[in-house]
Amino acid sequence: TPTTPTSPTECLSPGLRPIPPHFPGRESHRVPTAKHQSPRKIKLHALPEILREVTAVLEQAWRLPEPEKKKIIRRLYLKWHPDKNAENLEIATEVFKHLQNEINRLEKQGL
């Protein structure tokens, strides 16, 4: 009489490896993070939009309490520092200069 296997190892032929069970929804258990991806080359025509965005972020940050404002400025400096953007050196340099100029302008205006 044929027997029904009671464990996965009983139904394997010699030399075959067991197949791990499939758990729906767990196909992609690792999420790629930005720091592991290669940096994307930014097109030069995107520079005006980037500068507008940096200006808008700074103007919003200027209305926040000092510790939060400093944190945002520091993150912007780190994000756009030319040494951190070898792939986009020309754009990073321009954005970094713009960032410094905007901070000086906002400090003079006393916003």
Side-chain angles (χ1 to χ4, degrees), residues 46-100:
L47 183 61
E49 179 63 30
I50 294 169
L51 298 179
R52 280 192 295 275
E53 186 177 321
V54 166
T55 300
V57 169
L58 278 174
E59 288 175 350
Q60 290 175 0
W62 224 257
R63 297 182 187 104
L64 297 174
E66 192 67 24
E68 292 173 27
K69 178 171 75 171
K70 284 185 176 185
K71 188 184 296 184
I72 291 171
I73 291 170
R74 182 177 184 276
R75 286 184 181 160
L76 284 171
Y77 271 133
L78 289 173
K79 178 179 181 178
W80 292 108
H81 196 283
D83 291 346
K84 300 269 186 191
N85 289 285
E87 187 76 17
N88 299 300
L89 187 61
E90 185 178 344
I91 290 178
T93 303
E94 289 302 314
V95 175
F96 198 77
K97 287 180 195 174
H98 178 76
L99 180 59
Q100 291 173 322

Side-chain angles (χ1 to χ4, degrees), residues 27-43:
E27 290 84 11
S28 174
H29 63 278
R30 288 189 336 160
V31 179
T33 58
K35 63 182 175 182
H36 294 297
Q37 295 175 348
S38 62
R40 288 180 288 155
K41 183 77 172 160
I42 299 173
K43 304 285 187 212

Side-chain angles (χ1 to χ4, degrees), residues 92-110:
T93 303
E94 289 302 314
V95 175
F96 198 77
K97 287 180 195 174
H98 178 76
L99 180 59
Q100 291 173 322
N101 291 335
E102 285 298 302
I103 290 171
N104 288 336
R105 178 184 67 83
L106 290 168
E107 285 174 345
K108 286 179 184 175
Q109 284 182 356

